[in-house]
Amino acid sequence: MFKNYFKTTFRSLRKNTTFSLVNILGLSIGLAACIFILEYAFFQLSFDKYHHKSDQIYRVMNERFEGDQMIQRGQITYSAVGPQMAGDYPEIVNYTTVNTFDGNVFLYENKASEISSALLVEPSFFEMFDIEVLAGNRETLVSENYQIVLTESMAEKIFQTTDGDWTDYLGTVLEMGSQRSKWQLSGVVADPPTNSSIQYEALLSRVTTFSLWGESARFSWNNSDYFHYIELAESVDYSKFQEKFVDFSEKYFRGDKVTGNLEKFHLQPLADVHLYSDYEYEIHETSDGKMVWVLIIIAGFIIIMAWVNYVNLTTSKSLQRAKEVGIRKVVGASRPQLVRQYLTESMMLNLLAFVLAITLVQALQVPFNNLVEENLSLLEFIFLKLGSLQVFVWMLIILLLGSIGSGIYPALVLSGFRPSQTLKGDYGKSTQGRVLRKSLVTFQFILSTALIAGTYLVMKQTRFMKSQDLGLNMEQVVTVEGPSLANFDTTIVIHMNTFLNKLEQNAHVIKAGTSSNVFGSRMPRVFDVRRLGQTEDHMLNRMGANYGFFDVYQINFLAGRSFRPSDHKEDPRLIDAAIINEKASKILGFKTAEEAVNEKLLFFGQEWTIVGITDDFHHRSLKESIEPMLIIPIYFGYSDTYQIRVSADNVPQTLAYIEQTYNEFYPGDVFEYGFMDARFNSLYKSDEQFGKIFNLFSFLAIAIACLGLFGLVGYTAVQRTKEIGIRKVLGASIPDILQLLSMEFLGLILLANFIGLPLVYFAAQSWLERYTFRTEIGWAFFALPLLAVVFISIVIIIGQTLKTARLNPVQSLRCE
C-alpha cells in the first residue's frame, strides 16, 4: 500500500512540476531560514552554559543610592563583600573575586607584545569555572605573587611558536610595562570559547595586588573596584536567598554611615549575564535577550508561513484531483486509506524540502557567518542538547508534526466527500474552501506587513542614532594608544607636550590632544563633588584632558574658556582648574553657564576653580542619556590616549608621520591607532547586526508569502479560465479581467494591513522605549508596508493572470 502511495506522490510531482517546485522551494527556504535563525539564537542562548556549575554560579550586583537617587548600578563593588558573604551564609559553598587589568605591554626577549584584556583572579576562579589547562598545575596557577597564565593564542603570539607543547615555557619571566615588573609564567590555558561572556588573553594572580595596593585590595568596605562571584549549594533558591542581603547591607553598611551611600545587593545567574545585562562598568560580553527572542519568533513565523503555503497550495491542487478521489472511493478505497495517502505525500514533500534546506544551509553557512560575525556550525547546532534531546531529534519531531499538520486538512476534507460530489468537482465552489484560502492568505500578509514595518523601524532607529548631532565632531580624529614602556616621572608633562607639538608641525595635523578616557567607554566617577560653602555632594563623571582636547573635538563652550598649557602642572597637587558640561552645572545648582564661571568646587580633598562650561555632548551611545561631566587638566600617565585631528588629504602619509614620530618618542613600544568615529560607531554594532539579521529574514518571510500568492493566483486563474473566456466573448477587455482577478486578493491584503499595523505599532512603541534617544514612528511606518505589499501583490497578480487573460476565448472554452 505504501509503495503505491510513494508512486502516486512521485507521479503527482512530475505531473505538476511548477506547482511542486513552488511548494518545495517555499518549504525549503522557510526551513533553511528557520535553521539559520535558531543556529544563531541558540548560540546566543548557550553563553556560559558550558560551565558544569553554570546553574549554581551567580555574580553579586550592587546598587548604590544617594538619598533616593540611584547613582551606580553594576557588578563593581567593595572588596569585602564577597568574602564576607561567604563567611556569613553557609548556602555559599565557594566564591571568587576578580579585578580588571588594564591593557599593558609584556616583554619577552626584548620583543613587546600587548595584552589588551586580562583579569586578576584567585585560585577559586579555576574551581568555579571550567577552564581547560594546557600546561601548569591547576591548583597553584595564581596562588603566588606575580604569576601569569596566558591563553594559548597569546602564548603563540609572545613565544612565536604553534607546537602546542607549553611545558618547557613554564617558569619563563615576562617583563611588564615601564616598571619592568617581572611576572612568571605559571600556566597556559585554552582560549575562552566563543560562547563565553568572560573573554581574556591572560589571567594574573590577584594576590599580587595585596602587596601593591595594600590590605584594602583584600578586604575593604570603601575600596570599590572589585567583582564577586559566588557558588550556591544545589538546593538553594537564589531568589529567596538574596532576600537576606537586606540585613547584610544594614549590618555592614549601616545605612549610609560607612560609604556615604545606601548599598543594596542582589544576585544575577551566570547563565543570564550575556543576554539580560544592562549594567555599568560591564566586564562581560553582552547582547540583547529580547532581540534574540524576537528572532526566534520570526523563525516561528517563517516556518508557519511556509506550511500555510503548503496547505493553501495543496488544497488548490487537490481540486484537480477531486475526480481521482471519487474514483478511488468507487473502487473501494476507504477514508483512512485516502488520509494516509495525502499524509504520505505531505511527509515526502516536507522531507525533500528539508534535505534541500540542509543543502542550502551548508552552502550559505560562510556568508551567514560573515553577516552575524560568528563562527557558527550546522553540525555543532544539530548535536546541541536542548533539554534531554539533541537538536536534530527536535528538528525531526517538528518536521513530522509540521508534515502531519499541513497535510491533515486537505486529507480530511477531500477524503470526507462523497464520490458524487468529487466526481462533479464541486469542492472548488464550496464556501469552506474559499474561506480557508482567504484566511490563510490574510494571515500570511498580516505577518508580512508586520515584518516590513519592523524592518523599516529598525533601519530608521539605527540611522537616527548614527546621524544625530553628538555635540562634538569625531570625523577625521585618529586615536593613538599611549605608550606602556615609557617611564612615568615628573617630566611627563613636558615630554607629552613636546610630542604633541611635534605632531602639529605636520601641515596635515590640525590639532592634537590627550585624554584619560576615549569616547564610547564608561567614565570613572567622583561621588563627593560639592560647591564651596554647601554641604550637598553630587556624583559627576570624571576624565582628564589636556589643553588641545577640546579643539580636537570642536566642543562648544557656553561660557568661560578651555584649558591652557599653564593649567597643567608637573606637581598634580597644584592643579586646580576644572571644566564641566551644562548638565553638571545644572546639577550643581547654577542657573546659567555664566554664573558657574570662576566658582569653586570641592573634591579630591581640595578646591578647584571652574574655568569653563561646555555644551552637553554625548560620550556614550544614544541609547543612554547625557551624563554630567567633570574634566580636569591632569595627565593620568602615559596610558592616556592621544587624540589627533587630521585633514582629509594624504591620510596614509599623515598616519605614517604620526607613527614615525611616536616611534621616535617611544622606541620599542607598540603603536596602535584607530579612527574615533569608527570606534564610536562600534557601540551600535549589536543594533546594526540585529538589523541586518532582521532585514534578511523578514525579506525571506515576505518572499515565502509571495510564493504562496504566486501559486494561488496561478491556480485561481486556471480555475476561472472558462469564466474569463465567457467574459471576453461578452466584451470584457484585458484590464477588466485583471481588475476582476486582482480585487479579491487586494481586498485581503488591505484587511491584513488593517489588522497587522495596529498590532505592530504597539510592539514598536515598546521596542523604542529601550532607547533614551529615539526616532518618531511617523506616517511612513503605516504607509510603507501597505504600499510595498500592494505593489508586490499587483506585480504577482498581473504576471500570473496576464497569460490567462490574453487567451483566445475559443481556446479558453475548449480548455474548459
Side-chain angles (χ1 to χ4, degrees):
M1 181 62 71
F2 283 103
K3 183 178 179 181
N4 181 56
Y5 293 161
F6 291 138
K7 284 183 179 181
T8 304
T9 300
F10 285 113
R11 285 173 185 166
S12 177
L13 292 176
R14 285 198 305 268
K15 184 178 179 182
N16 302 280
T17 306
T18 302
F19 163 82
S20 301
L21 287 175
V22 170
N23 229 342
I24 293 175
L25 186 61
L27 275 173
S28 60
I29 291 175
L31 288 167
C34 191
I35 291 171
F36 272 132
I37 292 176
L38 295 180
E39 194 178 63
Y40 174 77
F42 281 23
F43 169 74
Q44 294 292 331
L45 291 169
S46 73
F47 265 70
D48 296 321
K49 293 180 181 176
Y50 67 92
H51 298 291
H52 74 281
K53 295 179 180 179
S54 64
D55 58 343
Q56 296 173 252
I57 299 175
Y58 302 83
R59 62 176 184 169
V60 180
M61 310 305 294
N62 177 211
E63 292 164 347
R64 192 170 299 172
F65 291 83
E66 190 176 79
D68 294 331
Q69 180 186 5
M70 183 187 296
I71 60 173
Q72 186 165 297
R73 174 177 174 267
Q75 187 183 2
I76 189 169
T77 188
Y78 309 97
S79 59
V81 170
Q84 191 64 60
M85 284 183 174
D88 286 0
Y89 303 114
E91 296 93 334
I92 300 176
V93 297
N94 204 351
Y95 81 95
T96 194
T97 302
V98 171
N99 285 102
T100 56
F101 181 80
D102 292 335
N104 214 317
V105 170
F106 284 79
L107 290 173
Y108 172 70
E109 295 182 347
N110 293 321
K111 183 176 180 180
S113 299
E114 183 175 16
I115 295 179
S116 58
S117 59
L119 298 173
L120 292 154
V121 300
E122 301 170 333
S124 54
F125 185 84
F126 292 90
E127 297 170 4
M128 293 172 60
F129 296 96
D130 290 2
I131 300 172
E132 183 184 356
V133 179
L134 304 179
N137 184 340
R138 188 181 193 90
E139 296 179 358
T140 60
L141 287 175
V142 289
S143 59
E144 299 178 10
N145 284 341
Y146 293 100
Q147 287 183 312
I148 183 171
V149 178
L150 298 176
T151 61
E152 186 170 31
S153 60
M154 182 51 63
E156 290 174 351
K157 177 181 176 181
I158 291 176
F159 300 120
Q160 296 294 296
T161 181
T162 58
D163 62 11
D165 184 6
W166 304 109
T167 306
D168 294 340
Y169 291 93
L170 297 181
T172 299
V173 174
L174 304 176
E175 295 183 344
M176 184 186 77
S178 60
Q179 301 300 315
R180 300 296 197 275
S181 57
K182 299 183 182 338
W183 293 76
Q184 187 178 62
L185 182 68
S186 59
V188 176
V189 297
D191 290 2
T194 53
N195 62 341
S196 171
S197 66
I198 307 178
Q199 294 291 324
Y200 48 82
E201 295 173 329
L203 300 169
L204 290 75
S205 55
R206 200 178 89 82
V207 67
T208 311
T209 64
F210 301 165
S211 57
L212 294 176
W213 303 344
E215 184 61 24
S216 64
R218 186 196 308 271
F219 196 90
S220 169
W221 297 109
N222 298 100
N223 196 348
S224 176
D225 285 304
Y226 304 89
F227 302 81
H228 301 285
Y229 300 85
I230 64 172
E231 177 188 341
L232 296 181
E234 292 186 22
S235 59
V236 177
D237 181 348
Y238 88 92
S239 59
K240 293 183 179 179
F241 170 71
Q242 67 184 359
E243 293 175 2
K244 297 182 179 182
F245 292 166
V246 175
D247 295 332
F248 179 87
S249 295
E250 184 58 34
K251 179 178 180 180
Y252 295 106
F253 292 96
R254 302 191 304 279
D256 61 357
K257 291 182 175 58
V258 175
T259 63
N261 302 296
L262 294 173
E263 309 287 345
K264 296 183 180 181
F265 298 92
H266 70 275
L267 299 179
Q268 183 185 30
L270 179 65
D272 290 349
V273 169
H274 178 65
L275 291 181
Y276 305 105
S277 295
D278 182 22
Y279 296 102
E280 300 168 336
Y281 304 106
E282 185 61 77
I283 65 172
H284 289 255
E285 298 286 335
T286 62
S287 188
D288 192 332
K290 289 182 179 178
M291 295 303 99
V292 171
W293 284 105
V294 166
L295 291 175
I296 292 175
I297 292 171
I298 291 176
F301 284 168
I302 288 175
I303 196 63
I304 289 172
M305 290 172 73
W307 276 323
V308 163
N309 268 0
Y310 178 82
V311 172
N312 229 341
L313 297 178
T314 303
T315 303
S316 297
K317 185 190 74 169
S318 298
L319 306 181
Q320 298 181 349
R321 301 177 64 181
K323 292 183 180 179
E324 174 195 334
V325 174
I327 293 171
R328 285 180 177 274
K329 279 202 164 188
V330 167
V331 298
S334 65
R335 185 176 186 183
Q337 288 175 328
L338 291 172
V339 170
R340 285 197 296 270
Q341 175 187 333
Y342 275 93
L343 289 179
T344 302
E345 289 185 13
S346 175
M347 284 186 278
M348 288 290 293
L349 200 122
N350 273 269
L351 184 60
L352 288 173
F354 180 71
V355 172
L356 180 57
I358 294 294
T359 305
L360 286 173
V361 171
Q362 285 286 72
L364 300 174
Q365 186 70 71
V366 173
F368 181 71
N369 286 353
N370 293 335
L371 175 70
V372 300
E373 299 180 19
E374 301 289 355
N375 187 25
L376 304 179
S377 166
L378 178 62
L379 285 177
E380 291 181 7
F381 169 65
I382 63 176
F383 288 110
L384 187 71
K385 271 225 168 184
L386 185 61
S388 58
L389 299 176
Q390 290 175 313
V391 167
F392 78 89
V393 178
W394 285 110
M395 290 170 68
L396 294 176
I397 292 173
I398 292 172
L399 184 68
L400 178 63
L401 293 175
S403 301
I404 295 172
S406 58
I408 195 70
Y409 178 81
L412 290 176
V413 171
L414 287 176
S415 64
F417 287 156
R418 293 190 299 272
S420 58
Q421 287 180 310
T422 54
L423 289 173
K424 290 178 181 178
D426 288 342
Y427 175 77
K429 302 180 182 65
S430 72
T431 302
Q432 186 181 22
R434 288 197 301 272
V435 170
L436 171 70
R437 290 192 294 276
K438 289 180 180 180
S439 300
L440 295 179
V441 167
T442 303
F443 172 74
Q444 284 187 315
F445 278 97
I446 287 174
L447 298 182
S448 297
T449 297
L451 292 174
I452 292 173
T455 299
Y456 165 76
L457 189 62
V458 169
M459 293 174 63
K460 186 180 180 185
Q461 175 62 21
T462 303
R463 285 198 304 269
F464 173 83
M465 291 190 296
K466 296 180 70 174
S467 63
Q468 289 301 293
D469 181 11
L470 300 175
L472 47 85
N473 185 4
M474 293 184 181
E475 294 182 2
Q476 298 301 126
V477 175
V478 178
T479 62
V480 177
E481 298 299 323
S484 297
L485 300 178
N487 291 323
F488 181 80
D489 53 32
T490 57
T491 66
I492 182 174
V493 175
I494 297 174
H495 195 73
M496 292 182 78
N497 287 347
T498 305
F499 172 68
L500 296 173
N501 292 335
K502 180 67 180 294
L503 289 178
E504 291 179 358
Q505 290 176 13
N506 187 291
H508 297 290
V509 174
I510 299 172
K511 194 65 181 178
T514 68
S515 66
S516 58
N517 300 84
V518 292
F519 293 132
S521 63
R522 180 71 67 180
M523 303 291 178
R525 290 171 173 170
V526 185
F527 291 96
D528 56 353
V529 181
R530 67 177 181 270
R531 292 172 61 178
L532 186 64
Q534 297 186 0
T535 58
E536 184 180 2
D537 288 340
H538 301 278
M539 183 276 294
L540 304 179
N541 291 271
R542 181 260 301 168
M543 71 180 295
N546 86 322
Y547 59 89
F549 174 80
F550 298 94
D551 289 335
V552 169
Y553 287 102
Q554 299 172 356
I555 296 173
N556 181 53
F557 276 78
L558 299 177
R561 62 173 176 84
S562 179
F563 291 138
R564 298 167 179 161
S566 58
D567 290 324
H568 300 280
K569 306 288 195 302
E570 292 183 7
D571 185 349
R573 293 172 297 180
L574 300 178
I575 298 174
D576 63 356
I579 291 174
I580 59 177
N581 67 347
E582 184 180 14
K583 184 165 186 178
S585 72
K586 291 178 179 178
I587 287 176
L588 291 167
F590 298 110
K591 295 179 181 179
T592 65
E594 290 77 9
E595 181 186 342
V597 177
N598 295 323
E599 289 294 316
K600 303 290 185 180
L601 298 178
L602 290 174
F603 60 92
F604 289 166
Q606 69 179 72
E607 290 185 14
W608 299 74
T609 301
I610 300 173
V611 299
I613 295 87
T614 72
D615 206 345
D616 285 336
F617 56 85
H618 294 272
H619 77 275
R620 297 275 294 168
S621 78
L622 268 74
K623 295 179 184 178
E624 304 175 28
S625 60
I626 291 176
E627 297 181 323
M629 292 294 300
L630 170 68
I631 306 168
I632 51 181
I634 290 180
Y635 292 118
F636 282 90
Y638 283 116
S639 59
D640 283 4
T641 302
Y642 294 111
Q643 329 269 344
I644 308 160
R645 173 167 292 281
V646 300
S647 67
D649 301 326
N650 300 315
V651 172
Q653 291 88 338
T654 306
L655 291 174
Y657 173 79
I658 294 172
E659 182 176 8
Q660 178 186 344
T661 307
Y662 182 91
N663 291 332
E664 288 176 10
F665 277 76
Y666 309 114
D669 239 304
V670 179
F671 176 77
E672 281 194 307
Y673 78 93
F675 285 90
M676 191 63 237
D677 53 354
R679 186 170 187 165
F680 193 83
N681 285 335
S682 67
L683 297 174
Y684 304 114
K685 178 182 175 181
S686 61
D687 298 274
E688 291 180 324
Q689 190 180 73
F690 169 74
K692 291 176 182 177
I693 298 170
F694 187 91
N695 295 348
L696 171 64
F697 292 111
S698 295
F699 171 78
L700 290 177
I702 295 164
I704 291 170
C706 291
L707 278 175
L709 184 63
F710 174 85
L712 271 179
V713 172
Y715 276 96
T716 300
V718 171
Q719 284 180 295
R720 302 178 70 172
T721 300
K722 181 178 179 181
E723 176 190 343
I724 292 170
I726 293 172
R727 288 181 179 274
K728 290 188 73 175
V729 168
L730 296 175
S733 64
I734 291 179
D736 293 334
I737 301 299
L738 293 178
Q739 181 181 0
L740 171 71
L741 297 176
S742 301
M743 291 309 296
E744 178 181 356
F745 292 102
L746 290 178
L748 298 178
I749 290 165
L750 292 174
L751 176 62
N753 277 268
F754 181 77
I755 296 173
L757 286 175
L759 295 176
V760 76
Y761 172 77
F762 293 111
Q765 282 188 316
S766 176
W767 180 72
L768 285 174
E769 286 176 0
R770 60 198 290 267
Y771 297 97
T772 303
F773 297 88
R774 48 186 176 265
T775 186
E776 296 292 331
I777 291 179
W779 62 267
F781 177 82
F782 300 97
L784 184 64
L786 176 61
L787 294 175
V789 171
V790 169
F791 175 76
I792 293 170
S793 302
I794 289 175
V795 171
I796 293 173
I797 292 168
I798 292 176
Q800 280 291 81
T801 59
L802 195 57
K803 181 179 177 181
T804 304
R806 284 177 171 173
L807 283 176
N808 189 308
V810 175
Q811 293 177 316
S812 301
L813 296 174
R814 181 186 300 153
C815 175
E816 188 66 23

